[in-house]
mmCIF file of all heavy atoms in Angstrom:
data_model
loop_
_atom_site.group_PDB
_atom_site.id
_atom_site.type_symbol
_atom_site.label_atom_id
_atom_site.label_comp_id
_atom_site.label_asym_id
_atom_site.label_seq_id
_atom_site.Cartn_x
_atom_site.Cartn_y
_atom_site.Cartn_z
ATOM 1 N N VAL Q 488 135.379 7.146 -0.580
ATOM 2 C CA VAL Q 488 136.051 5.866 -0.609
ATOM 3 C C VAL Q 488 136.529 5.543 0.775
ATOM 4 O O VAL Q 488 136.305 4.427 1.254
ATOM 5 C CB VAL Q 488 137.210 5.918 -1.632
ATOM 6 C CG1 VAL Q 488 138.072 4.670 -1.501
ATOM 7 C CG2 VAL Q 488 136.636 6.033 -3.038
ATOM 8 N N ARG Q 489 137.008 6.510 1.419
ATOM 9 C CA ARG Q 489 137.518 6.250 2.724
ATOM 10 C C ARG Q 489 136.392 5.895 3.679
ATOM 11 O O ARG Q 489 136.521 4.987 4.489
ATOM 12 C CB ARG Q 489 138.286 7.490 3.250
ATOM 13 C CG ARG Q 489 139.742 7.479 2.862
ATOM 14 C CD ARG Q 489 140.515 8.564 3.600
ATOM 15 N NE ARG Q 489 140.031 9.878 3.446
ATOM 16 C CZ ARG Q 489 140.342 10.726 2.443
ATOM 17 N NH1 ARG Q 489 141.212 10.316 1.516
ATOM 18 N NH2 ARG Q 489 139.862 11.936 2.430
ATOM 19 N N GLU Q 490 135.370 6.585 3.524
ATOM 20 C CA GLU Q 490 134.203 6.266 4.361
ATOM 21 C C GLU Q 490 133.766 4.857 4.182
ATOM 22 O O GLU Q 490 133.511 4.109 5.115
ATOM 23 C CB GLU Q 490 133.031 7.207 4.019
ATOM 24 C CG GLU Q 490 131.800 7.012 4.818
ATOM 25 C CD GLU Q 490 132.008 7.304 6.329
ATOM 26 O OE1 GLU Q 490 132.904 8.157 6.681
ATOM 27 O OE2 GLU Q 490 131.307 6.685 7.143
ATOM 28 N N ALA Q 491 133.673 4.374 2.944
ATOM 29 C CA ALA Q 491 133.252 3.008 2.649
ATOM 30 C C ALA Q 491 134.243 2.043 3.219
ATOM 31 O O ALA Q 491 133.858 1.008 3.778
ATOM 32 C CB ALA Q 491 133.127 2.843 1.118
ATOM 33 N N THR Q 492 135.472 2.352 3.115
ATOM 34 C CA THR Q 492 136.504 1.492 3.635
ATOM 35 C C THR Q 492 136.352 1.347 5.115
ATOM 36 O O THR Q 492 136.373 0.241 5.674
ATOM 37 C CB THR Q 492 137.888 2.082 3.323
ATOM 38 O OG1 THR Q 492 137.938 2.327 1.943
ATOM 39 C CG2 THR Q 492 138.990 1.099 3.734
ATOM 40 N N ARG Q 493 136.054 2.473 5.786
ATOM 41 C CA ARG Q 493 135.906 2.449 7.227
ATOM 42 C C ARG Q 493 134.709 1.638 7.624
ATOM 43 O O ARG Q 493 134.772 0.821 8.536
ATOM 44 C CB ARG Q 493 135.786 3.890 7.757
ATOM 45 C CG ARG Q 493 136.165 4.042 9.219
ATOM 46 C CD ARG Q 493 136.360 5.502 9.545
ATOM 47 N NE ARG Q 493 135.412 6.379 8.974
ATOM 48 C CZ ARG Q 493 135.678 7.364 8.086
ATOM 49 N NH1 ARG Q 493 136.955 7.513 7.686
ATOM 50 N NH2 ARG Q 493 134.738 8.163 7.645
ATOM 51 N N ALA Q 494 133.626 1.770 6.893
ATOM 52 C CA ALA Q 494 132.432 1.010 7.208
ATOM 53 C C ALA Q 494 132.678 -0.456 7.089
ATOM 54 O O ALA Q 494 132.264 -1.256 7.938
ATOM 55 C CB ALA Q 494 131.294 1.424 6.260
ATOM 56 N N LEU Q 495 133.383 -0.859 6.014
ATOM 57 C CA LEU Q 495 133.677 -2.256 5.809
ATOM 58 C C LEU Q 495 134.517 -2.765 6.939
ATOM 59 O O LEU Q 495 134.228 -3.852 7.493
ATOM 60 C CB LEU Q 495 134.347 -2.429 4.443
ATOM 61 C CG LEU Q 495 134.727 -3.836 4.050
ATOM 62 C CD1 LEU Q 495 133.518 -4.738 3.996
ATOM 63 C CD2 LEU Q 495 135.444 -3.839 2.694
ATOM 64 N N ALA Q 496 135.508 -1.998 7.291
ATOM 65 C CA ALA Q 496 136.386 -2.420 8.360
ATOM 66 C C ALA Q 496 135.618 -2.559 9.643
ATOM 67 O O ALA Q 496 135.788 -3.532 10.394
ATOM 68 C CB ALA Q 496 137.559 -1.408 8.504
ATOM 69 N N GLY Q 497 134.721 -1.575 9.918
ATOM 70 C CA GLY Q 497 133.883 -1.637 11.149
ATOM 71 C C GLY Q 497 133.079 -2.898 11.173
ATOM 72 O O GLY Q 497 133.007 -3.574 12.183
ATOM 73 N N ALA Q 498 132.473 -3.258 10.034
ATOM 74 C CA ALA Q 498 131.615 -4.428 9.981
ATOM 75 C C ALA Q 498 132.425 -5.662 10.247
ATOM 76 O O ALA Q 498 131.992 -6.558 10.986
ATOM 77 C CB ALA Q 498 130.929 -4.510 8.606
ATOM 78 N N CYS Q 499 133.544 -5.786 9.645
ATOM 79 C CA CYS Q 499 134.376 -6.941 9.836
ATOM 80 C C CYS Q 499 134.763 -7.056 11.294
ATOM 81 O O CYS Q 499 134.788 -8.165 11.865
ATOM 82 C CB CYS Q 499 135.636 -6.858 8.952
ATOM 83 S SG CYS Q 499 135.262 -7.118 7.219
ATOM 84 N N GLU Q 500 135.101 -5.954 11.888
ATOM 85 C CA GLU Q 500 135.494 -5.973 13.287
ATOM 86 C C GLU Q 500 134.369 -6.465 14.166
ATOM 87 O O GLU Q 500 134.565 -7.290 15.042
ATOM 88 C CB GLU Q 500 135.904 -4.557 13.724
ATOM 89 C CG GLU Q 500 136.669 -4.547 14.994
ATOM 90 C CD GLU Q 500 137.095 -3.082 15.343
ATOM 91 O OE1 GLU Q 500 137.077 -2.216 14.401
ATOM 92 O OE2 GLU Q 500 137.431 -2.826 16.509
ATOM 93 N N ASP Q 501 133.158 -5.992 13.868
ATOM 94 C CA ASP Q 501 131.988 -6.446 14.644
ATOM 95 C C ASP Q 501 131.849 -7.938 14.564
ATOM 96 O O ASP Q 501 131.445 -8.617 15.524
ATOM 97 C CB ASP Q 501 130.708 -5.812 14.132
ATOM 98 C CG ASP Q 501 130.628 -4.336 14.523
ATOM 99 O OD1 ASP Q 501 131.453 -3.915 15.373
ATOM 100 O OD2 ASP Q 501 129.735 -3.617 13.972
ATOM 101 N N LEU Q 502 132.105 -8.493 13.377
ATOM 102 C CA LEU Q 502 131.919 -9.917 13.201
ATOM 103 C C LEU Q 502 133.111 -10.713 13.733
ATOM 104 O O LEU Q 502 133.126 -11.944 13.725
ATOM 105 C CB LEU Q 502 131.705 -10.244 11.726
ATOM 106 C CG LEU Q 502 130.355 -9.782 11.141
ATOM 107 C CD1 LEU Q 502 130.362 -9.961 9.640
ATOM 108 C CD2 LEU Q 502 129.202 -10.532 11.771
ATOM 109 N N GLY Q 503 134.104 -10.059 14.047
ATOM 110 C CA GLY Q 503 135.299 -10.713 14.569
ATOM 111 C C GLY Q 503 136.141 -11.331 13.494
ATOM 112 O O GLY Q 503 136.830 -12.321 13.782
ATOM 113 N N VAL Q 504 136.042 -10.828 12.275
ATOM 114 C CA VAL Q 504 136.863 -11.325 11.175
ATOM 115 C C VAL Q 504 137.709 -10.222 10.683
ATOM 116 O O VAL Q 504 137.432 -9.053 10.891
ATOM 117 C CB VAL Q 504 135.982 -11.900 10.060
ATOM 118 C CG1 VAL Q 504 135.319 -13.164 10.495
ATOM 119 C CG2 VAL Q 504 134.937 -10.886 9.585
ATOM 120 N N ALA Q 505 138.695 -10.655 9.912
ATOM 121 C CA ALA Q 505 139.661 -9.677 9.447
ATOM 122 C C ALA Q 505 139.114 -8.936 8.287
ATOM 123 O O ALA Q 505 139.134 -7.709 8.301
ATOM 124 C CB ALA Q 505 141.000 -10.412 9.074
ATOM 125 N N ASP Q 506 138.643 -9.626 7.325
ATOM 126 C CA ASP Q 506 138.147 -8.957 6.122
ATOM 127 C C ASP Q 506 137.059 -9.753 5.506
ATOM 128 O O ASP Q 506 136.507 -10.681 6.111
ATOM 129 C CB ASP Q 506 139.301 -8.764 5.155
ATOM 130 C CG ASP Q 506 140.012 -10.071 4.815
ATOM 131 O OD1 ASP Q 506 139.453 -11.144 5.205
ATOM 132 O OD2 ASP Q 506 141.072 -10.044 4.207
ATOM 133 N N LEU Q 507 136.711 -9.403 4.281
ATOM 134 C CA LEU Q 507 135.631 -10.063 3.583
ATOM 135 C C LEU Q 507 135.910 -11.518 3.420
ATOM 136 O O LEU Q 507 135.016 -12.366 3.634
ATOM 137 C CB LEU Q 507 135.373 -9.372 2.231
ATOM 138 C CG LEU Q 507 134.310 -9.944 1.353
ATOM 139 C CD1 LEU Q 507 132.958 -9.912 2.062
ATOM 140 C CD2 LEU Q 507 134.240 -9.199 0.036
#
Side-chain angles (χ1 to χ4, degrees):
Chain Q
V488 170
R489 271 190 304 274
E490 181 63 29
T492 307
R493 203 166 41 243
L495 180 60
C499 288
E500 196 178 342
D501 287 348
L502 289 171
V504 291
D506 56 10
L507 178 60

